[in-house]
Each structure stands twice: as structure tokens, then as C-alpha cells.
Amino acid sequence: MYTANRKDSTGLVERVKQDKRNYLLDFYANYTNTFADKHAVNFMAGYGWQHFWKRMNSSTNDPRGNELFSPKHYETEYYLLSFYGRLNYTFNDRYMLTATLRSDGSSRFSKDNRWGIFQSVALGWRINQEAFLKESKVISDLKLRLSYGVTGQQDIINDYPY
């Protein structure tokens, strides 16, 4: 980067090197079954583990190579653990229920407030499967869905602000 240095137009050179790694491990299982020709169930449960690591080195010199500021060096990491599950239930290919539950733990938060539980539920109605629309030539698929859920956020300013 070339820019004015100390308002004397000599400029400065900034060099930054950043290394990042993200390790991810996910396990999940899925179960699906249809019974009595009207009930369909799909259940999924899983576990996730992530490790984020970052290192940064920077130096600021004038164009002749003289150091203007102390070099900056830092290395940081954080972890994210997750347990999650989802249940889908469909009756007669018309009425649907979806429920999810997720528990996330982040090392970015203090030990007293490390875990969050996030849930959601949704109801669906395939209107096009009803007798009054089944023979429609205009509407091929029509679904009404109502849902509610809670989300969380662990992407904050830095890794350990507490």
C-alpha cells in the first residue's frame, strides 16, 4: 500500500500475511418410514464440530525499508460444537409438521453462557392435494406454510471478548 506518511509524501509500505484454517467434522443419521399409506416420518439427528484458527503478521515500513511502527503479530482460534435434530411428519401427502432442535456451544462465549438452544416448528398444507384443486390445469403445486423459529449468532467482534 502506498500512501502519504506523516504528511511529507514519503509514503509507507504495509505487508500483511494471514493464514487461516477451518476444520469441520459432521456426523448425522437419517431415518425414513411410511406406514399405513398415509403417514410419512423422516427423522434426522447429528453432531458437528468445527475448529477455526487464524494467524496474522504485519509490518509497516517507509519505502526505504525503515520500520515505522512495531510489527503486529497475533494468533487466535475458537471452537463450535453442535447437536441437532429434525422431525418431518406428513399425513396423507397434504398436512406437514416439521420440528427442529439445535444446541450450539461456542468457545467465543464465557463458560457461564457458552451454550444456546434453538428450536423451530413449521406447519404446512399442500392445498393442491385437496379435492377442489386436484384436477386443476392452472395450479400444479400450491403449499401454505407457517413457521416460527429462534436463531443465534456467535460471529462477534473477536474470538474472546468476555
Side-chain angles (χ1 to χ4, degrees):
M1 174 175 73
Y2 183 82
T3 185
N5 174 34
R6 299 184 186 142
K7 299 183 180 178
D8 64 1
S9 298
T10 58
L12 62 87
V13 177
E14 185 174 22
R15 290 185 177 90
V16 178
K17 180 180 181 199
Q18 189 176 58
D19 296 309
K20 292 183 178 183
R21 292 186 194 129
N22 178 6
Y23 299 100
L24 171 66
L25 182 64
D26 263 330
F27 294 105
Y28 69 93
N30 198 38
Y31 171 78
T32 302
N33 193 8
T34 302
F35 52 96
D37 291 331
K38 292 188 177 209
H39 305 277
V41 176
N42 179 295
F43 178 74
M44 185 269 299
Y47 165 81
W49 174 89
Q50 283 186 280
H51 175 230
F52 300 87
W53 174 85
K54 178 173 40 175
R55 178 175 53 209
M56 197 263 306
N57 294 303
S58 72
S59 63
T60 305
N61 301 29
D62 67 17
R64 293 182 196 96
N66 300 315
E67 190 175 273
L68 296 174
F69 305 109
S70 295
K72 297 176 193 167
H73 307 285
Y74 76 86
E75 187 172 327
T76 185
E77 67 180 349
Y78 66 95
Y79 292 86
L80 180 63
L81 295 176
S82 301
F83 298 94
Y84 50 89
R86 180 187 65 223
L87 171 68
N88 288 322
Y89 170 73
T90 304
F91 175 73
N92 209 21
D93 202 27
R94 287 185 201 157
Y95 310 106
M96 294 155 282
L97 168 72
T98 300
T100 63
L101 184 63
R102 182 178 187 103
S103 180
D104 289 329
S106 174
S107 66
R108 286 181 158 180
F109 299 132
S110 75
K111 292 178 182 177
D112 298 332
N113 192 27
R114 187 146 291 169
W115 288 87
I117 296 177
F118 310 100
Q119 64 278 342
S120 70
V121 65
L123 299 171
W125 176 30
R126 291 201 119 167
I127 303 170
N128 64 298
Q129 295 296 318
E130 299 294 339
F132 63 89
L133 278 180
K134 213 161 195 168
E135 302 298 322
S136 174
K137 306 273 190 239
V138 178
I139 298 174
S140 61
D141 195 12
L142 180 62
K143 180 176 163 183
L144 179 64
R145 182 179 166 110
L146 175 66
S147 63
Y148 170 80
V150 176
T151 63
Q153 177 63 277
Q154 62 101 32
D155 284 331
I156 49 183
I157 296 171
N158 56 33
D159 290 344
Y160 298 101
Y162 64 90

